[in-house]
Amino acid sequence: MANITKKVSWSSRGDESGGGERTPLLNGSEEVRYTRQLSGDGGMFHIGRLSTVDLEEDMTSDEDAGCPKEIPHNEKLLSLKYESLDYDNSENQLFLEEERRMSFLGFKCLEISRWVICGLIGFLTGLIACCIDIAVENLAGVKYFVVKQNIEKFTEVGGLSISLILWAVLNAAFVMVGAVIVAFFEPGAAGSGIPQIKCYLNGVKIPRVVRLKTLVVKVCGVICSVAGGLAVGKEGPMIHSGAVVAAGVSQGRSTSLKKDFKIFEYFRRDTEKRDFVSAGAAAGVSAAFGAPVGGVLFSLEEGASFWNQMLTWRIKPGDLSSPGLINFGRFESDSVAYNLYEIPLFIVMGAAGGLLGALFNILNYWLTIFRIRYVHRPCLQVMEAMLVAAVTATVSFAMIYFSNDCQPLGPDQSEDYPLQLFCADGEYNSMATAFFNTPERSVRSLFHNPPGSYNPLTLSLFTLTYFFLACWTYGLTVSAGVFIPSLLIGAAWGRLFGILLASITPDGSIWADPGKYALIGAAAQLGGIVRMTLSLTVIMVEATGNVTYGLPIMLVLLTAKIVGDYFVEGLYDIHIKLQSVPFLHLEAPATSHWLTAREVMSAPVTCFNRIEKVGTIVDVLSNTSTNHNGFPVVVPVAASDDMGKVCGLILRSQLIVLLKHKVFVELARSRLTQRKLQLKDFRDAYPRFPPIQSIHVSQDERECMMDLTEFMNPTPYTVPQETSLPRVFKLFRALGLRHLVVVDGENRVVGLVTRKDLARYHLGKHGLEEMQLAQT
């Protein structure tokens, strides 16, 4: 084994300790010293005392004091617990031999299999959507019926406080079940799942994100969350659910159930799995909104970091087989068509949506920081979720109780659970239409109820209240989405805007239809929070069944994105950053051309010779101080030179399989009938490769040799050490790499670039800044 120990000086002064290298001092960054011994993704950095966070000190002092432990957090930390996915195929001899043996008919069968898998993904995702919808409607229907009967009973005789307690208890009970299964059984099912799927498609291996257990908890959790009356939606969890379905179906087996159906074995690798997960996310959008085209565009715009043209067409059949569980109802263009002079008004609404969206994201950011620091224990997370459920019920009841907005209950009203309360006979409480309902039905009523169904004070109070409730709710340890709450907030203030226009303009009652402005406001608010443009336009058009509003919705979303981006990032990007995920954006920081590969790479690098001793390989893989996942294979130039010329790259997972099957040179010579290792052996071990501790290697076997020639990738991507950071970033990001070898002028290995080496640089307020690295 060759160990590249050449040290690269990152500053004019030498390293005093001699145990590592000094981080380059960038604008706005503080000096941090640590030992860099990373030879592959997932390697561990030995961090000294960070200037902003001392993990050891915080943990010991809090425990000694006997008070609740605070988890330190800093948005400029980058977590080292995340590894990368192998999106770059290893073109070793086994791979090339399989390609040569495959006939034209074999390739056609593989292509047909891809179409079949996409169809199965759409069908199963749609089936899950139907189950969620039926369960939510039935559970919520029973809850609202019981509470409604109780309110009507105590309205006449007094004692409405009992109705309030009943409502709050029912909400808290549903939410408690949803929070317990998430907090104690599968924390990966929390939230909408869209940030996690976005990271997965970017190449980050998020633990347990596409497991069967995650899917089950996600489905059950979102049913409990929506039925529990939280300000949440079903659409985000549906996208996550579709991605999990895709990851399972495409592999033809379940590792959780230990069941292998012996089908689709060719697709058992990260590259193929990535494309199917993209299809699953698109199917989730289609299942949620009934928007097949919008689903494809969502996966392209918001989800996938890598895309190919054939994937667009393969996703379509799966999306078309998914019914929409959210139906906003059809907008008739002849009754609520817009005029050209309304375009400036729509743009103003887009700017308002961007401002409100930025405010929502900023408040949720600080609330999430508080949760990370103080509400990190499962019991506290469950208690917080129950508190939010009870507060939501209490606030809703109070708003309904004190509202005097009574509307006639005519034949054109579509209220599911109308509350009369203190209104006269034949009338209902308008505030109850918004609060005493599932969020999807509330959005529909704001879109389609006739003018006069709400007064301005009702809409103003509802918008203000629901805005803060939704902001408080997003980020709880429950399965929940933010699409529908955002649409509901925007529809409320959009309808209010339309009512005010109709009252202050002479002929406003003719053209200022409140339902039309509710639609525009909903798009503006959602765009201001999640910053989607083209895909959200198509989703809204498909969900409402009217293409007439395509242009104004697009203008509104563009305006909302421009205004919102001026203040803060989108909600999903914020939560990705708060999780300290090494996410790679489309481009490198704009002012980073002066940095070179030599300055950002990890060194020294642990390398292997083409024919390596088994004991050496076992020792390297067993080293608990490192967790290297990729090793350059080198050819020694001279006996006295520690550095060698790169001739390949081999992964930890490949070495594990080789050790498991004892592919040793001596054994191959003594066993003439030994079965030759095939790609199937590697695919059978994917994705949960056994740990090195589970593989027994005897003392005699440690002295054997292993020939890596047939299994290594003989053509790894390499860059000269003087390559600028943007060029390294573009190559790494565009090709979906996990390891990029840095070589000198003689093609000798001097370093290795991994995801974390690139993700730690970002453009801050004071120029190019460098994130600190920690085992968070």
Side-chain angles (χ1 to χ4, degrees):
M1 178 186 69
N3 190 20
I4 308 302
T5 57
K6 179 180 178 180
K7 189 173 290 187
V8 181
S9 176
W10 285 11
S11 64
S12 57
R13 294 178 297 173
D15 192 330
E16 296 175 4
S17 65
E21 297 163 20
R22 187 178 297 272
T23 305
L25 300 181
L26 305 178
N27 295 331
S29 63
E30 301 181 14
E31 184 175 354
V32 181
R33 293 180 55 193
Y34 49 79
T35 303
R36 297 181 58 87
Q37 293 244 347
L38 180 65
S39 69
D41 178 78
M44 298 173 64
F45 288 69
H46 305 282
I47 304 178
R49 183 179 178 87
L50 300 182
S51 57
T52 55
V53 176
D54 189 351
L55 303 180
E56 255 185 282
E57 184 176 324
D58 278 340
M59 292 180 64
T60 54
S61 60
D62 286 339
E63 289 179 359
D64 293 341
C67 58
K69 182 177 65 174
E70 172 190 348
I71 291 184
H73 183 81
N74 184 347
E75 64 173 350
K76 293 184 180 180
L77 286 179
L78 197 64
S79 177
L80 293 172
K81 71 178 181 180
Y82 297 105
E83 297 181 3
S84 293
L85 296 164
D86 294 299
Y87 284 164
D88 180 40
N89 288 324
S90 178
E91 296 183 348
N92 54 23
Q93 292 183 20
L94 297 182
F95 178 83
L96 298 179
E97 289 174 5
E98 183 184 66
E99 293 280 303
R100 280 193 292 265
R101 288 195 304 267
M102 190 173 294
S103 63
F104 176 77
L105 182 61
F107 279 109
K108 284 298 180 182
C109 288
L110 286 177
E111 190 62 25
I112 293 173
S113 298
R114 290 188 175 97
W115 286 86
V116 171
I117 291 172
C118 287
L120 286 173
I121 291 169
F123 173 77
L124 293 175
T125 305
L127 192 62
I128 291 173
C130 290
C131 293
I132 291 176
D133 198 35
I134 293 171
V136 167
E137 291 299 323
N138 282 278
L139 289 175
V142 171
K143 184 191 76 172
Y144 287 124
F145 177 78
V146 171
V147 176
K148 181 176 182 292
Q149 294 290 99
N150 195 274
I151 290 176
E152 290 175 349
K153 173 184 175 182
F154 287 103
T155 301
E156 299 177 357
V157 301
L160 278 173
S161 57
I162 298 177
S163 302
L164 168 60
I165 294 173
L166 175 64
W167 191 359
V169 168
L170 287 175
N171 273 15
F174 279 120
V175 172
M176 182 186 70
V177 174
V180 165
I181 61 176
V182 171
F184 288 95
F185 293 97
E186 189 47 72
S192 66
I194 294 178
Q196 289 87 343
I197 295 301
K198 188 174 179 179
C199 291
Y200 181 91
L201 294 175
N202 187 257
V204 184
K205 187 176 182 180
I206 305 294
R208 311 184 66 83
V209 71
V210 289
R211 296 279 182 89
L212 177 62
K213 184 180 177 182
T214 305
L215 174 63
V216 174
V217 174
K218 196 85 179 182
V219 171
C220 297
V222 73
I223 291 173
C224 294
S225 300
V226 179
L230 291 177
V232 299
K234 300 173 278 190
E235 66 305 316
M238 273 311 309
I239 295 169
H240 189 182
S241 299
V244 180
V245 168
V249 171
S250 64
Q251 303 303 291
R253 69 177 177 187
S254 171
T255 52
S256 300
L257 300 178
K258 295 181 173 58
K259 180 66 176 178
D260 193 341
F261 298 98
K262 304 297 182 181
I263 56 175
F264 308 140
E265 294 179 343
Y266 181 83
F267 306 121
R268 294 177 184 176
R269 47 181 166 152
D270 289 337
T271 311
E272 296 284 352
K273 194 174 180 180
R274 172 193 69 196
D275 289 346
F276 291 118
V277 170
S278 298
V285 175
S286 179
F289 295 99
V293 178
V296 176
L297 293 176
F298 170 85
S299 192
L300 174 60
E301 177 186 5
E302 187 68 15
S305 297
F306 309 93
W307 197 262
N308 61 71
Q309 188 175 0
M310 286 305 299
L311 188 60
T312 306
W313 297 107
R314 283 201 298 268
I315 288 177
K316 288 297 295 174
D319 281 1
L320 291 171
S321 65
S322 301
L325 57 82
I326 297 172
N327 180 18
F328 293 138
R330 185 173 180 83
F331 277 76
E332 300 297 337
S333 58
D334 55 347
S335 60
V336 289
Y338 67 93
N339 302 294
L340 289 178
Y341 57 78
E342 294 181 84
I343 294 294
L345 295 175
F346 296 154
I347 293 177
V348 170
M349 293 181 70
L355 289 171
L356 290 174
L359 177 62
F360 185 99
N361 293 354
I362 291 171
L363 293 176
N364 190 261
Y365 165 80
W366 288 111
L367 180 60
T368 306
I369 288 287
F370 176 84
R371 284 178 174 140
I372 290 173
R373 289 178 175 174
Y374 299 105
V375 194
H376 52 269
R377 294 177 180 172
C379 56
L380 295 177
Q381 294 168 343
V382 173
M383 291 173 61
E384 185 197 15
M386 294 175 63
L387 174 64
V388 174
V391 169
T392 301
T394 304
V395 171
S396 302
F397 186 88
M399 298 292 286
I400 296 171
Y401 183 85
F402 292 107
S403 173
N404 58 359
D405 184 8
C406 297
Q407 302 293 336
L409 188 60
D412 56 343
Q413 299 295 334
S414 59
E415 316 312 330
D416 295 288
Y417 314 103
L419 283 179
Q420 181 180 351
L421 212 60
F422 302 117
C423 296
D425 291 341
E427 293 183 338
Y428 70 97
N429 188 299
S430 182
M431 183 71 81
T433 307
F435 274 116
F436 198 71
N437 230 328
T438 59
E440 293 85 357
R441 294 181 182 273
S442 299
V443 172
R444 262 203 309 276
S445 66
L446 287 169
F447 281 175
H448 296 291
N449 278 9
S453 299
Y454 302 87
N455 68 37
L457 181 60
T458 297
L459 292 174
S460 301
L461 292 174
F462 174 78
T463 301
L464 183 64
T465 306
Y466 206 81
F467 180 90
F468 289 106
L469 285 177
C471 186
W472 188 14
T473 304
Y474 189 79
L476 291 175
T477 310
V478 294
S479 299
V482 76
F483 271 59
I484 294 301
S486 304
L487 291 173
L488 184 51
I489 296 168
W493 67 256
R495 191 176 181 98
L496 174 64
F497 187 77
I499 293 173
L500 296 178
L501 279 178
S503 63
I504 63 175
T505 54
D507 57 346
S509 59
I510 301 175
W511 55 267
D513 183 87
K516 170 175 60 178
Y517 281 89
L519 174 65
I520 299 300
Q525 183 66 53
L526 181 55
I529 291 176
V530 300
R531 311 294 162 76
M532 293 160 52
T533 52
L534 180 60
S535 59
L536 187 53
T537 301
V538 177
I539 289 172
M540 295 295 290
V541 167
E542 289 185 284
T544 56
N546 195 332
V547 74
T548 306
Y549 291 96
L551 175 61
I553 289 176
M554 172 58 80
L555 292 175
V556 163
L557 292 174
L558 284 173
T559 306
K561 177 175 173 56
I562 292 171
V563 174
D565 284 343
Y566 181 79
F567 296 99
V568 69
E569 296 176 300
L571 186 64
Y572 299 142
D573 292 326
I574 287 175
H575 278 261
I576 289 173
K577 182 181 293 186
L578 287 174
Q579 293 174 21
S580 302
V581 178
F583 187 89
L584 295 182
H585 295 279
L586 190 60
E587 298 288 343
T591 60
S592 60
H593 287 81
W594 57 275
L595 279 174
T596 63
R598 183 180 69 250
E599 294 167 312
V600 304
M601 69 184 184
S602 301
V605 183
T606 302
C607 301
F608 289 127
N609 293 312
R610 189 189 294 265
I611 300 179
E612 190 60 77
K613 190 177 179 181
V614 172
T616 302
I617 296 176
V618 172
D619 291 340
V620 170
L621 298 183
S622 303
N623 189 353
T624 57
S625 65
T626 59
N627 187 27
H628 304 338
N629 286 283
F631 304 90
V633 181
V634 297
V635 176
V637 178
S640 59
D641 195 351
D642 288 334
M643 297 189 298
K645 291 186 176 181
V646 61
C647 64
L649 182 76
I650 194 159
L651 303 177
R652 168 184 285 264
S653 57
Q654 294 173 315
L655 293 171
I656 291 288
V657 175
L658 296 179
L659 289 172
K660 180 181 178 181
H661 290 273
K662 301 191 182 301
V663 185
F664 307 149
V665 174
E666 288 79 2
L667 293 180
R669 292 171 182 169
S670 61
R671 300 177 188 172
L672 300 178
T673 60
Q674 185 185 30
R675 183 181 69 87
K676 186 177 180 182
L677 212 60
Q678 299 177 348
L679 277 182
K680 184 181 183 302
D681 297 296
F682 294 90
R683 289 169 182 159
D684 287 342
Y686 175 86
R688 301 185 191 177
F689 295 97
I692 183 63
Q693 291 78 10
S694 66
I695 297 175
H696 175 72
V697 178
S698 65
Q699 192 62 38
D700 292 336
E701 290 173 338
R702 287 179 58 88
E703 302 301 321
C704 295
M705 305 299 290
M706 183 183 292
D707 190 352
L708 306 179
T709 306
E710 190 178 4
F711 311 101
M712 69 180 186
N713 182 4
T715 56
Y717 291 98
T718 63
V719 291
Q721 57 184 342
E722 298 301 327
T723 307
S724 67
L725 175 60
R727 295 181 72 86
V728 173
F729 189 99
K730 186 179 297 184
L731 179 65
F732 195 98
R733 170 67 166 75
L735 297 176
L737 303 182
R738 187 175 185 179
H739 310 94
L740 183 60
V741 183
V742 182
V743 297
D744 60 10
E746 299 180 4
N747 203 35
R748 295 182 297 183
V749 179
V750 294
L752 201 66
V753 174
T754 63
R755 171 178 296 271
K756 300 176 187 71
D757 296 320
L758 300 176
R760 60 195 176 98
Y761 294 98
H762 70 107
L763 193 61
K765 296 180 180 179
H766 307 287
L768 191 63
E769 297 178 354
E770 182 180 359
M771 293 185 181
Q772 299 172 358
L773 303 164
Q775 287 285 355
T776 57

